[in-house]
Amino acid sequence: MRDKVIDVARGIAIILVIIGHSIQYSVPAFDSNLIFRYIYSVHMPLFMFISGYTLFFSRNRININFLIKKFNLLVVPFFSWFIISFYLKNTYLTQSFITRLIQLLKSPDYGLWFLWVLFLINIIFILLFFIIDKLKFYELEDIFIIFGIYLISIIPTNVLGLHLVKWYIVFFCIGYFVSKFKTILLKSLVNYQFLAVLLFVPFAYFWNRTTPPSFNLYLGNHFTREIVTVITSLYLYLTPLTGIATILSVSNIVSKLKYSNIFIFIGGITLEIYSLHTFFLHTHGQSFLNISYTFFTTLASTILAIIILKKIMFLRYILFGRIS
């Protein structure tokens, strides 16, 4: 049975992605935009949380076919869109294909990094499950998973996007455990929903995409470097986590509304929208109305293109990793 709240949350998450990119394309100083900062503090951790949450339901059905499905869904589009973007965006005029490919392998930020990072995180969890099953560590499964993630975090290299894996695997893992212990956590989560919203609002206000939080200077003048590092690390994780709890609370409300199926439909094609939407983004101005126009036209054009492209079996697989 599908979790309607999670389906709605997935739809909200991809809508936030397009809003964020609409601001990024329209506002020169987008990192200073308050809405942009709020969105970027939570939207990709939310996707990883949802991915971990849904993986739990496949825990006892993970086999070679599951791995092949993940490869088709994530890796095939990752490289397909890299090739398409390389030629459509005229990158070939300034770089050779091999040079660009090497850059991509060193850092997936040059492509649709989310697909690649999500695939690697799935591989890590599949390997952990395999070891647990072979050694019959079922009673210690949770500790073993946490220990495995810790080992990943201390790998002294960031090639193949490991810097992103190290960050996002935490939210994936939390999603997995929330799903696993949902019955136990449900009452607590309901009781602390309002607190999460109250915390997220001020937390995200100080959040920055490329620099430490703006309050670090104040902390540096009053505390030792070690204390500042601990506080900053806690803040960097608590901000998206309180944001995730906030969006899940909103999703719970939306899921009960008459038109919740709109969000569920959009949530059902999140990977397709993520892969394709940047081709339809165009700057129309910095005003709220212009950004709104960019968002709606991008979303509508992307959905229409997806519907058309998915009717062609070959493109459905190459572009979106969908076999059926």
Side-chain angles (χ1 to χ4, degrees):
M1 183 178 178
R2 296 192 65 88
D3 190 323
K4 192 174 181 180
V5 173
I6 291 297
D7 288 339
V8 169
R10 190 184 283 111
I12 291 175
I14 196 63
I15 286 172
L16 291 178
V17 168
I18 300 178
I19 294 174
H21 284 164
S22 297
I23 295 172
Q24 193 170 357
Y25 270 66
S26 304
V27 180
F30 55 85
D31 276 315
S32 299
N33 184 280
L34 188 60
I35 297 175
F36 179 86
R37 296 210 310 271
Y38 270 87
I39 289 172
Y40 266 67
S41 70
V42 66
H43 67 339
M44 300 319 287
L46 173 61
F47 269 123
M48 289 298 179
F49 174 92
I50 292 172
S51 299
Y53 186 96
T54 55
L55 180 69
F56 171 72
F57 300 107
S58 302
R59 170 63 179 92
N60 297 319
R61 295 185 285 108
I62 294 177
N63 50 32
I64 189 64
N65 291 328
F66 180 86
L67 182 59
I68 292 172
K69 181 180 178 181
K70 289 296 180 183
F71 180 87
N72 289 333
L73 196 61
L74 300 171
V75 178
V76 171
F78 174 73
F79 284 107
S80 296
W81 285 110
F82 163 71
I83 295 170
I84 292 169
S85 297
F86 180 79
Y87 289 103
L88 283 185
K89 296 183 178 180
N90 298 324
T91 310
Y92 65 91
L93 296 176
T94 56
Q95 269 185 319
S96 71
F97 180 81
I98 297 300
T99 301
R100 191 68 173 180
L101 180 60
I102 291 172
Q103 286 181 335
L104 180 74
L105 294 176
K106 286 182 178 179
S107 178
D109 306 70
Y110 285 96
L112 297 174
W113 65 266
F114 175 78
L115 301 179
W116 178 255
V117 171
L118 183 57
F119 179 73
L120 290 185
I121 292 175
N122 272 280
I123 291 295
I124 291 168
F125 268 76
I126 289 170
L127 288 174
L128 290 173
F129 292 150
F130 177 79
I131 296 171
I132 289 167
D133 291 341
K134 283 295 181 182
L135 299 180
K136 301 188 185 304
F137 281 171
Y138 301 117
E139 293 183 359
L140 301 173
E141 175 173 298
D142 302 334
I143 296 174
F144 191 83
I145 290 173
I146 294 171
F147 180 69
I149 291 171
Y150 167 73
L151 292 180
I152 294 296
S153 70
I154 60 175
I155 293 176
T157 181
N158 288 323
V159 296
L160 297 176
L162 279 177
H163 62 296
L164 293 169
V165 170
K166 292 172 186 178
W167 169 250
Y168 285 108
I169 197 171
V170 174
F171 303 104
F172 187 98
C173 182
I174 291 172
Y176 177 82
F177 284 136
V178 167
S179 184
K180 182 175 183 177
F181 300 109
K182 182 171 62 175
T183 304
I184 300 172
L185 293 172
L186 195 58
K187 290 183 180 179
S188 298
L189 291 173
V190 170
N191 293 334
Y192 290 105
Q193 281 181 107
F194 188 63
L195 176 62
V197 176
L198 287 180
L199 289 174
F200 176 63
V201 172
F203 280 3
Y205 179 83
F206 294 102
W207 187 89
N208 286 290
R209 183 176 65 97
T210 57
T211 60
S214 53
F215 57 73
N216 260 30
L217 182 61
Y218 172 83
L219 293 176
N221 293 330
H222 293 81
F223 300 99
T224 64
R225 185 168 61 181
E226 290 75 17
I227 293 176
V228 172
T229 299
V230 171
I231 293 174
T232 302
S233 298
L234 287 172
Y235 166 80
L236 290 176
Y237 282 104
L238 284 174
T239 299
L241 286 174
T242 54
I244 289 168
T246 298
I247 292 176
L248 289 178
S249 300
V250 172
S251 301
N252 184 45
I253 296 171
V254 173
S255 68
K256 297 177 174 63
L257 300 179
K258 183 177 180 181
Y259 297 106
S260 62
N261 284 338
I262 295 173
F263 292 92
I264 293 173
F265 167 73
I266 293 173
I269 52 174
T270 52
L271 292 179
E272 290 88 339
I273 293 174
Y274 169 74
S275 301
L276 190 59
H277 78 279
T278 56
F279 291 95
F280 296 99
L281 279 169
H282 294 284
T283 301
H284 297 286
Q286 299 183 44
S287 71
F288 175 79
L289 286 177
N290 285 329
I291 293 172
S292 299
Y293 178 77
T294 297
F295 162 71
F296 283 111
T297 55
T298 299
L299 179 60
S301 301
T302 303
I303 291 174
L304 179 61
I306 290 168
I307 292 171
I308 294 171
L309 292 172
K310 288 181 79 171
K311 290 183 179 297
I312 305 169
M313 186 169 62
F314 172 74
L315 293 179
R316 187 168 65 235
Y317 174 69
I318 294 298
L319 301 182
F320 308 122
R322 306 284 188 180
I323 295 176
S324 60

